[in-house]
Amino acid sequence: MASQAHSIPNSNNKWHQVWQSMSSAIKSKKVWKKIGFYVSIILFAIVMFFPFYWMLIASLKSATEITATTPSFWPSFNFGNWWQILTNSRFIRYLLNSLIVAVANVALTTVVAILAAFALSKLKIKGRAYIIAGMLVLIAVPFEVLVITNFSTMVELGFYDSLPALFIPFAASVYYTMILRNSFLASSDKIYHAARIDGASNFRYLTQILIPQAKPTIISIMLFAALASWNSIMWPTLIIRSDENMTLTFLQNFFKLEDGLVQQEMIMAASLISIIPTVVLFVFFRKYMTRGVNMGGTKG
Amino acid sequence: MKNKQAIASNTTTINVDSDSIVQQSTLDANRVAMHMVIENSLKATKDTPITYSKLEKIKYKVWAKIVPWLYISPFLIAILVFSVYPIFNTLFMSFKEDYNYINGDYSGIGFGNYEDLFDNRFFIQAIGNTLTYVVLVVPITLAFAILFASMLNKQMKGKALFQTAFFLPLVTSSIAIGYVWQFIFSGNGLINWFVGLFGAESIPWLTSSKYSMFVLVSYGVWNGIPFATMILLSNMQRINKRYYTSARMDNASSWQQFKKITLPMMIPTILVLAVLNMLSSLKVFNDVFVLFNGEPGPFSNLYTLVYFVYQNLQGGGSRGTAAAVAILLMMIAFIGAIVVFALRNFRKINFTKIFKRREKLNGITSTLDTQQQ
């Protein structure tokens, strides 16, 4: 560069040097590679993210805009659809039902899993090895096998068409218990023995020492339980019949879809509202999800 | 223990070791008892140990044995009622021919339900659909996942933003997104508008039996990519950076780095992910339900195995056939789980040795040769 500067007139000009570096960069492959990389990753991200964007856009359109032949990709800020959905008392009831069931499911599953994982990791149980072996077998069993009998069981217990039927069968999850057990095993036994010698009861040790240590794992388990409950489709459609117990799984009850008479923007608004809780959970707890997925055990 | 009990109850008698028994009012008694406790426990360390009576010892031993079972009992009860009992019940139900659910009659015990299944045209179709779905979804999902994970592994600006965009479908596999896909693929939806820009006529994505499988498969791929990408990315990030540094020093291009470092180390993860994805794809039901509003596809051509179970559980279906399908599903799932467990031990095989040997056989020289970029 120094020799070039002397041989070309006006080469001390800053802009000429900028032009030199830019042209040499464009000639090199590196810049094209970088541009290509960013372009392709942006395209892929658009494809993966597009349904959510379209949901947002479409829910903000008015009825005339949505049936226009050329769709517009820019939001139009017509919040009337959202207002109409949110003031529909039936929709609010569905939403509240989903919330109640999700909270109850998370609470019940987490408590049962923590107690069981604690017992299986720190306490002496005579048949411990057999119980764990049985649980490992049960992990592979798909839910569809259990649906048939669980349906009859819930009917016999009198829970048909009620909200508790949506979270009671999922109280015991082998998957969560195994994850928690692994995480409890990681904390040393010495602390347990020391605490016991100092007079702490088992429950006190569990709540004051073990749970705070395993908090990230517990949070990720709670997240998975909440998501599984919010997004479940097969079980609610089988066991819920009356309108006052329905959850957001039954969105189609609001919009009878016949050919041509479809309120697209309303459906999009309702769909958007029904996925907002999960999106919020995801944005705030993304870290815990990746960690929980790791501990799920598909280590490479 | 004794002194604790003295404080807890409002007794007026206090037993203090070998000293005399003192009778006072309760308030004084508590105050004195506290002092006694402190003195007693201080004494206990040196001269007189705290002794328990035989009854107390037995009670404590029994209690200590019961406690673990108390902790595990809610879990065990729920597992027995909702997991173990259903397996056996479904198993037995699948062998009861002509099982009448209402009054529990059945005409015989045998493989009748299974035979009826294979005579059922819809069941054969369900098998075909499910297999097609699995064979298409699993490789495409994994290919995209490997691509996305290696892209996300690089240093770039706005990494969190891209990660959010790629991982968001993980949390929203429900009816809501299904509606969006329905509208995008509908007769006058976005995809057809896009197609119309090129002059072609609109394709009946969701209403013809030819194209509906394409929509289903792409929905399955879109739903399966985030999870696979997440796992692959976290495993890719754990590869030691020194491999890449030394490869860069040896003038390896990024494609060679990918082929020789990243890919071999990801093969165990890829295999495990393939089996997991295959297992969950075999249970495809949500996708069909969500895309076609509860119907099994246009003209009922997208029956899947689990949809078969679901339909037979509605009023008017036969539980026996549902049970039979479920048992078949369970056997496939068991085989798959065994394969996953076997694969986890598979990774102890030294893959780099295998690839080096293959290189030698093919006459490929090492990357130490200088290459101009």
Side-chain angles (χ1 to χ4, degrees):
Chain A
M1 276 307 281
S3 56
Q4 283 180 0
H6 286 305
S7 57
I8 303 175
N10 288 334
S11 54
N12 287 332
N13 190 352
K14 179 182 66 166
W15 295 109
H16 189 78
Q17 284 173 3
V18 167
W19 169 247
Q20 286 278 17
S21 59
M22 270 181 69
S23 61
S24 60
I26 292 179
K27 284 188 210 140
S28 80
K29 274 202 206 162
K30 250 206 221 173
V31 171
W32 286 117
K33 271 195 186 167
K34 246 194 180 172
I35 292 179
F37 173 76
Y38 273 104
V39 162
S40 44
I41 202 174
I42 289 179
L43 276 178
F44 286 131
I46 288 180
V47 168
M48 291 296 284
F49 188 72
F50 186 69
F52 301 101
Y53 183 69
W54 184 246
M55 196 194 294
L56 183 67
I57 300 289
S59 68
L60 290 175
K61 293 187 194 234
S62 60
T64 48
E65 290 173 4
I66 203 114
T67 48
T69 38
T70 52
S72 78
F73 293 95
W74 191 250
S76 47
F77 302 113
N78 182 4
F79 289 103
N81 300 330
W82 292 16
W83 185 247
Q84 218 171 331
I85 296 284
L86 281 175
T87 50
N88 188 343
S89 64
R90 207 164 147 227
F91 183 83
I92 295 293
R93 190 167 56 226
Y94 283 29
L95 184 67
L96 281 179
N97 282 341
S98 279
L99 271 174
I100 294 174
V101 167
V103 168
N105 195 10
V106 165
L108 188 62
T109 308
T110 314
V111 164
V112 169
I114 288 181
L115 292 179
F118 172 62
L120 286 176
S121 60
K122 297 278 185 231
L123 302 178
K124 284 193 215 158
I125 301 180
K126 241 190 172 167
R128 196 161 78 165
Y130 296 112
I131 294 179
I132 292 180
M135 279 165 59
L136 285 178
V137 171
L138 278 178
I139 284 185
V141 172
F143 178 65
E144 292 74 20
V145 172
L146 313 172
V147 162
I148 310 170
T149 314
N150 279 343
F151 184 73
S152 320
T153 310
M154 294 312 273
V155 169
E156 281 171 28
L157 285 177
F159 281 117
Y160 180 68
D161 192 16
S162 67
L163 282 186
L166 288 176
F167 57 81
I168 290 183
F170 306 108
S173 166
V174 175
Y175 190 55
Y176 299 149
T177 310
M178 292 307 283
I179 293 180
L180 270 178
R181 177 174 177 260
N182 286 339
S183 140
F184 283 171
L185 281 176
S187 77
S188 71
D189 267 347
K190 292 183 190 164
I191 300 184
Y192 175 62
H193 292 318
R196 291 286 277 153
I197 289 179
D198 284 344
S201 69
N202 272 325
F203 188 71
R204 204 164 152 193
Y205 169 73
L206 177 66
T207 47
Q208 293 186 346
I209 298 182
L210 205 49
I211 289 185
Q213 263 188 5
K215 232 189 337 191
T217 319
I218 293 181
I219 290 183
S220 60
I221 283 184
M222 289 169 88
L223 278 176
F224 281 133
L227 285 174
S229 160
W230 192 268
N231 291 336
S232 62
I233 294 180
M234 188 169 179
W235 183 246
T237 51
L238 279 177
I239 204 151
I240 299 284
R241 277 289 162 264
S242 66
D243 195 60
E244 60 181 12
N245 283 328
M246 289 200 172
T247 61
L248 283 175
T249 318
F250 296 90
L251 265 184
Q252 63 190 46
N253 286 349
F254 286 99
F255 316 101
K256 299 295 180 199
L257 293 182
E258 301 131 14
D259 294 325
L261 297 176
V262 166
Q263 300 168 294
Q264 222 186 88
E265 71 281 3
M266 291 301 204
I267 301 183
M268 290 290 102
S271 307
L272 186 69
I273 295 177
S274 61
I275 67 165
I276 279 183
T278 56
V279 170
V280 164
L281 275 182
F282 171 76
V283 167
F284 279 120
F285 295 113
R286 186 167 45 93
K287 263 189 319 195
Y288 291 107
M289 263 185 225
T290 47
R291 184 179 324 199
V293 151
N294 257 340
M295 289 199 185
T298 52
K299 287 177 58 134
Chain B
M1 282 286 280
K2 267 190 274 189
N3 297 313
K4 262 201 221 169
Q5 284 172 357
I7 297 177
S9 59
N10 272 331
T11 54
T12 53
T13 59
I14 304 170
N15 284 331
V16 178
D17 252 0
S18 49
D19 296 352
S20 60
I21 298 178
V22 178
Q23 275 191 340
Q24 293 186 19
S25 68
T26 49
L27 272 171
D28 279 343
N30 285 338
R31 185 176 50 86
V32 170
M34 248 189 359
H35 287 291
M36 298 296 187
V37 165
I38 296 174
E39 274 186 25
N40 206 15
S41 46
L42 285 175
K43 266 197 224 169
T45 51
K46 265 207 225 162
D47 310 323
T48 51
I50 300 181
T51 53
Y52 299 101
S53 73
K54 243 189 183 171
L55 183 62
E56 282 175 332
K57 279 188 201 168
I58 296 178
K59 274 200 283 187
Y60 181 71
K61 270 191 187 162
V62 168
W63 175 245
K65 276 220 160 121
I66 291 182
V67 158
W69 289 102
L70 279 183
Y71 274 97
I72 209 173
S73 58
F75 178 76
L76 271 186
I77 294 176
I79 281 276
L80 284 173
V81 171
F82 293 113
S83 289
V84 176
Y85 163 68
I87 295 180
F88 292 107
N89 196 8
T90 314
L91 190 63
F92 291 143
M93 206 193 292
S94 71
F95 287 116
K96 293 181 185 171
E97 303 175 0
D98 297 330
Y99 184 63
N100 186 343
Y101 170 70
I102 307 290
N103 43 11
D105 291 342
Y106 50 95
S107 65
I109 305 263
F111 284 95
N113 282 327
Y114 293 92
E115 287 171 2
D116 287 342
L117 271 183
F118 287 102
D119 288 335
N120 191 344
R121 176 173 69 92
F122 286 117
F123 183 69
I124 304 291
Q125 190 186 51
I127 293 185
N129 283 335
T130 312
L131 281 180
T132 316
Y133 179 82
V134 169
V135 162
L136 283 177
V137 162
V138 174
I140 300 180
T141 310
L142 280 178
F144 276 118
I146 297 174
L147 175 66
F148 292 166
S150 53
M151 281 178 129
L152 284 173
N153 200 16
K154 303 203 177 160
Q155 285 175 338
M156 68 177 94
K157 305 212 171 115
K159 204 181 216 182
L161 209 65
F162 285 117
Q163 276 187 0
T164 311
F166 280 108
F167 295 152
L168 201 50
L170 195 61
V171 301
T172 55
S173 67
S174 68
I175 300 239
I177 291 289
Y179 277 130
V180 181
W181 277 70
Q182 277 184 40
F183 290 136
I184 292 182
F185 277 94
S186 69
N188 50 357
L190 271 181
I191 303 274
N192 278 329
W193 167 76
F194 199 64
V195 164
L197 284 183
F198 295 110
E201 33 173 68
S202 65
I203 305 178
W205 295 105
L206 291 175
T207 48
S208 91
S209 40
K210 255 202 317 180
Y211 295 102
S212 48
M213 180 58 99
F214 175 77
V215 180
L216 188 67
V217 167
S218 52
Y219 186 70
V221 168
W222 185 77
N223 268 328
I225 283 182
F227 180 71
T229 312
M230 205 182 262
I231 305 259
L232 279 171
L233 180 64
S234 65
N235 280 323
M236 268 189 203
Q237 283 170 341
R238 281 154 81 192
I239 299 180
N240 207 341
K241 296 281 187 272
R242 293 185 190 169
Y243 290 124
Y244 295 111
T245 323
S246 67
R248 256 206 315 272
M249 285 201 299
D250 292 341
N251 263 339
S253 71
S254 50
W255 168 245
Q256 276 174 323
Q257 285 178 25
F258 178 73
K259 203 170 73 151
K260 296 262 162 47
I261 303 176
T262 319
L263 210 47
M265 296 189 101
M266 283 293 112
I267 283 188
T269 317
I270 294 177
L271 286 176
V272 171
L273 272 178
V275 180
L276 282 179
N277 202 350
M278 187 189 75
L279 287 179
S280 66
S281 301
L282 279 170
K283 301 185 229 162
V284 55
F285 166 76
N286 280 11
D287 299 357
V288 176
F289 191 89
V290 144
L291 281 178
F292 299 102
N293 290 323
E295 302 296 316
F299 313 116
S300 300
N301 76 318
L302 278 183
Y303 265 97
T304 63
L305 284 177
V306 178
Y307 197 93
F308 216 74
V309 175
Y310 174 77
Q311 210 182 37
N312 276 315
L313 281 179
Q314 313 276 36
S318 89
R319 301 273 167 115
T321 41
V325 179
I327 295 293
L328 285 177
L329 260 180
M330 188 171 82
M331 286 201 280
I332 300 178
F334 267 3
I335 297 177
I338 294 178
V339 171
V340 170
F341 280 142
L343 278 177
R344 296 247 197 111
N345 295 331
F346 200 54
R347 64 184 166 99
K348 296 203 177 106
I349 297 181
N350 196 340
F351 280 103
T352 48
K353 251 198 229 165
I354 297 181
F355 286 143
K356 268 210 182 115
R357 198 165 159 273
R358 188 168 290 175
E359 274 183 23
K360 241 196 217 163
L361 290 174
N362 291 344
I364 300 174
T365 52
S366 73
T367 57
L368 279 176
D369 291 353
T370 55
Q371 292 177 3
Q372 296 292 347
Q373 278 221 338

